[in-house]
């Protein structure tokens, strides 16, 4: 299965399986005990990459957040934010590499529209960019 080189390498090095299911309730999920990411089979290739990056974000960050994802809102919200941050960092890294744009020159709205992401993530993109390029593309 080929998503992109960075994703494929990460999945292989961490022994993560990706499975596609019809009629999945949601776009994707990560099952830690199975080391498996499940994606809804109806997703386009672009959506698969977005959801896959988000789920990898869960894989990397969730164990560092105290509390239960399913039982409490606060830990769930924090886990979702960290997964979205990971996805945004990876997309920003790819965007910088493919466009040759300097981080200080990124128009956040143009970036989000290019990636087909909601404009509600604009402040998150600005925050990530303000943290510096060392924090973009961390795996």
């Amino acid at each position: 299965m080929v998503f992109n080189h960075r994703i494929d390498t990460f999945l292989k090095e961490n022994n993560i399986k990706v499975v596609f299911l019809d009629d999945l309730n949601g776009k994707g999920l990560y099952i830690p005990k199975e080391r498996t990411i499940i994606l809804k089979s109806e997703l386009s290739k672009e959506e698969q990459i977005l959801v896959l990056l988000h789920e990898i974000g869960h894989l990397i960050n969730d164990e560092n957040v105290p509390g239960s994802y399913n039982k409490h809102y606060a830990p769930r919200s924090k886990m979702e934010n960290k997964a979205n941050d990971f996805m945004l960092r990876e997309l920003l890294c790819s965007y910088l590499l493919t466009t040759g744009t300097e981080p200080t020159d990124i128009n956040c709205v143009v970036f989000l529209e290019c990636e087909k992401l909601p404009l509600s993530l604009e402040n998150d993109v600005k925050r990530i960019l303000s943290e510096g390029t060392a924090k973009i593309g961390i795996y």
Side-chain angles (χ1 to χ4, degrees), residues 18-31:
V18 177
V19 176
F20 294 90
L21 289 179
D22 297 333
D23 302 320
L24 183 64
N25 187 20
K27 293 182 179 182
L29 65 121
Y30 172 59
I31 304 173

Side-chain angles (χ1 to χ4, degrees), residues 6 24 33 36 52 57 62 65 69 79 84 114 129 131:
R6 286 171 60 91
L24 183 64
K33 291 180 182 175
T36 301
L52 192 54
D62 282 4
V65 177
Y69 181 91
M79 290 174 189
N84 280 340
C114 178
L129 288 169
E131 293 170 354

Side-chain angles (χ1 to χ4, degrees), residues 15-66:
N15 197 29
I16 304 297
K17 294 181 289 187
V18 177
V19 176
F20 294 90
L21 289 179
D22 297 333
D23 302 320
L24 183 64
N25 187 20
K27 293 182 179 182
L29 65 121
Y30 172 59
I31 304 173
K33 291 180 182 175
E34 303 290 327
R35 299 197 59 75
T36 301
I37 293 174
I38 301 175
L39 299 177
K40 188 172 194 167
S41 58
E42 293 89 358
L43 297 175
S44 69
K45 184 72 166 180
E46 291 171 335
E47 290 175 307
Q48 288 175 13
I49 290 173
L50 294 177
V51 175
L52 192 54
L53 287 172
H54 176 88
E55 296 306 325
I56 290 171
H58 280 294
L59 182 152
I60 291 171
N61 294 303
D62 282 4
E63 68 183 32
N64 299 321
V65 177

Side-chain angles (χ1 to χ4, degrees), residues 96 101-107 129 133 136:
L96 291 170
T101 305
E102 290 296 319
T104 54
D105 295 334
I106 287 182
N107 179 317
L129 288 169
T133 55
I136 297 173

Side-chain angles (χ1 to χ4, degrees), residues 1 9 11 30 32 43 51 55 69 76 108 111 114-115 119:
M1 175 169 346
T9 300
L11 295 172
Y30 172 59
L43 297 175
V51 175
E55 296 306 325
Y69 181 91
R76 181 184 187 134
C108 296
F111 164 74
C114 178
E115 298 297 338
L119 296 181

